[in-house]
Amino acid sequence: MQDLLFATNNQHKLREIQAILGNEFHVLSLKDVTLDVEIPETQETIEGNAVQKARFIHGLTGMNCFADDTGLEIDALDGRPGVYSARYAGEGCSFDDNIDKVLQELSGIENRKACFRCVICLILDGVEHLFEGRVDGVIIPERQGSDGFGYDPVFLPNGFSQTFAEMPAYLKNGISHRGRAAEGLRKLMLSKK
Ligand code: ITT
C-alpha cells in the first residue's frame, strides 16, 4: 500500500481522512514520522495555505504528502470567517469561542447561507496537484449534536435534517467538503498506480 503523509496537526481532520482514504492508502500522520512542528499558514487564500502547508512538510521530509486547508464562508458575513476559520475569535481560541462569535454576528440576520470550502494540495513525486471540495448549507441559531469538530454543531448541509455534528462520520465524510476534495486525490492516486 502506498504511503501518503498528511501535513496536519488537526487530529479530527486526520481521523476523517484516514476513514476516507484508509482502505486504499496508508495515511501517515506527522507523529508517525516523528515530526513535531508548527506548520505555517500565512497566506490570504485557502488554496495558498494548502500549498504552503504541503510544501513546508515536503521540504522537511521529501515524502509524498498532502495538506488540507478549509474555510467556512458565510454569505451574510461577506465570506468570513473564511481563511480565518481556525482563529476567528482570536489566537488560542476554542471551537466554542468561534461558534459563539459567528452566532453573535448572525443574530437577527435572516440570510443564514454558508459553505465549507476545502482545498487539498498533494505533492506526488515532486509534482503539485490541487483538489477542491465544497458543501453548501445554513448556519442554525443553536448548536445541535456533539460529534465532528469545529463549526459542525451549527452547520446544517442542504437537503439534510441533521447537522454535521449529529451525523454518523461516514455520512459527513460522504457529502462533506473534505470528502469531496479527497475523492479527487483518491482518483488521481489510483490513476497513477
Ligand atoms: P492544520 O492546518 O494543521 O491542518 P487547522 O485546524 O489549522 O489544522 P484549517 O486552517 O484548515 O486547519 O481549519 C480551519 C478551521 O475550520 C478548523 O480549525 C475548524 O475550526 C474549521 N473546520 C475545518 N474543517 C471543518 C469541518 O470538517 N467541520 C467543521 N469545522 C471545520
Side-chain angles (χ1 to χ4, degrees), residues 132-167:
E132 181 167 347
R134 171 191 173 127
V135 60
D136 290 281
V138 292
I139 302 296
I140 57 170
E142 281 176 16
R143 292 167 174 79
Q144 279 179 208
S146 53
D147 288 343
F149 69 102
Y151 299 90
D152 282 348
V154 290
F155 186 83
L156 183 67
N158 289 345
F160 292 82
S161 57
Q162 290 178 307
T163 66
F164 271 169
E166 292 176 297
M167 288 180 174

Side-chain angles (χ1 to χ4, degrees), residues 76-115:
L77 303 181
D78 297 322
R80 277 181 283 121
V83 82
Y84 302 110
S85 293
R87 49 189 186 283
Y88 195 45
E91 282 307 322
C93 64
S94 66
F95 291 148
D96 269 334
D97 297 334
N98 285 334
I99 290 180
D100 286 341
K101 179 165 180 180
V102 160
L103 291 184
Q104 195 210 328
E105 289 186 328
L106 285 179
S107 117
I109 294 180
E110 213 166 289
N111 176 7
R112 316 286 298 194
K113 285 185 197 159
C115 74

Side-chain angles (χ1 to χ4, degrees), residues 8-10 13 41 53 68-70 85-86 95 116 149-152 172 177-178:
T8 185
N9 279 313
N10 181 323
K13 283 185 185 178
E41 49 178 306
K53 292 191 271 192
D68 153 326
D69 201 67
T70 295
S85 293
F95 291 148
F116 275 115
F149 69 102
Y151 299 90
D152 282 348
K172 176 185 173 188
H177 45 298
R178 182 163 299 106

